[in-house]
Each structure stands twice: as C-alpha cells, then as structure tokens.
Amino acid sequence: MRPLPTGPAPAGPRADGSAGSALASPVPGRSAAAPHPTVRPLAPSTPLRLRIPALKVDAPMTKLALNAAGALEPPPDNNPVLAGWYAGGTVPGAVGTAVTAGHVDTRLGPGVFHRLGAVRKGATVEIVRADGRTAVFTVYAVEVYGKKAFPDRKVYGPSPRPELRVITCGGDYDRKTGYQDNVVVFAAMTAAR
C-alpha cells in the first residue's frame, strides 16, 4: 500500500513503542492465542460490510487477492472508505483466520482505517455477510510490526476457531518506500446474530 500522506497523522502506536507499502503475504503458521471464548462458526458467506463501532467505521467490502510477488493487494485507493478481505483465504465467521485490510490514507484523504491504531482491547469488529448474518469479533490485541520484520505466521496463521485480522499501514512514511510499519488488529469471534 503506497498512499500519499494527507491530512493529520494516523492514530495509534508505532513499532518502536511510540504513540504499513505492500502488506506481507498470508502464509500458514501459528496465530496469537485469543483469550476470549468463541461461538459456533458460521458457514462461509461473502462479507459485505465491516464495522468498528468504537471508531465509527462502517465500510463496504471488496475482494482482495495476492499480487505477482505473493503480497496481499490493498483495496483500490480511489475509494477511501473501502475495506477488503482476502478472498483466497478464510471467510470472516468461518473456522480459520480471515484477513481484512484497508488504507490508512489515500490521495483523496484519510482512509477507512486512519484511526485503526487507536482501537482498544475489548472493542468489537462486525462483519455483515451476504447470508444476512453478522459475525461479531472482539479485539484481543493491537500490534505494530515493521514491514521488514512482519510476522507472517503469527498474523496469517491458521486457527481452530473463527479469527479476524484487520490490517493497515502505520508508522513513519517514506516517499520512496511508503509506510514503514503495519498496524494489525487481532480479534476472535464472540457472537453471531
């Protein structure tokens, strides 16, 4: 993801602990353990909207794929409010680790996940699906990783329960290489309605 920075700096932590450029590719491995109890998984169904009530995010979703180098392609940057989900992987609500991503900013202004780093443990992420169901995920961690040391296995690894990752860019911005970090929200499904 290589958006041009515009407007105020994105909210949230940095990889160095103070208050990401193409995303790494989803590869199997182990994910961080979710401390929250989970509920019965849902059958696969296309995700339509992603909501983060604490951040007032209510975004339409689009399918994402991998580029020729095997990295996750971000959503188009001509729609700042659009989020995406990796269509080659787990569908949000089904067993496994579902991956969603969006821009922190775009040429048109702040992106859908401009404030993602400000989300806190216990916040919810809702995925509205084509089957009329909503998968509700509870955030159990928000972490920032330098893109050169991105922990693919921890972020993208399989899970025996429905999990969700919400990813955007963060940290310092370099005009040649883009954002230096990625903000990753880890969440486990805790309800379905």
Side-chain angles (χ1 to χ4, degrees), residues 77-177:
D77 69 354
N78 62 353
N79 184 347
V81 299
L82 187 63
W85 65 282
Y86 176 51
T90 301
V91 175
V95 171
T97 303
V99 177
T100 62
H103 290 286
V104 68
D105 61 15
T106 70
R107 284 176 243 152
L108 303 176
V112 65
F113 294 149
H114 189 75
R115 297 187 59 238
L116 187 65
V119 77
R120 297 290 174 242
K121 281 173 79 170
T124 58
V125 180
E126 302 172 357
I127 303 291
V128 179
R129 299 156 28 110
D131 63 4
R133 306 287 307 268
T134 298
V136 180
F137 296 84
T138 299
V139 174
Y140 63 87
V142 180
E143 299 185 10
V144 179
Y145 304 107
K147 68 179 183 178
K148 292 181 180 177
F150 192 86
D152 291 340
R153 293 182 193 274
K154 181 178 180 181
V155 174
Y156 299 127
S159 173
R161 62 187 162 256
E163 293 245 353
L164 182 71
R165 304 294 181 262
V166 184
I167 305 170
T168 196
C169 296
D172 292 329
Y173 182 84
D174 179 284
R175 283 203 166 282
K176 293 179 184 174
T177 60

Side-chain angles (χ1 to χ4, degrees), residues 39-66:
V39 296
R40 172 175 275 155
L42 300 173
S45 180
T46 302
L48 303 176
R49 298 194 76 77
L50 182 147
R51 295 181 179 143
I52 307 174
L55 302 181
K56 297 184 172 125
V57 169
D58 185 357
M61 298 192 78
T62 188
K63 292 180 181 181
L64 302 178
L66 301 180

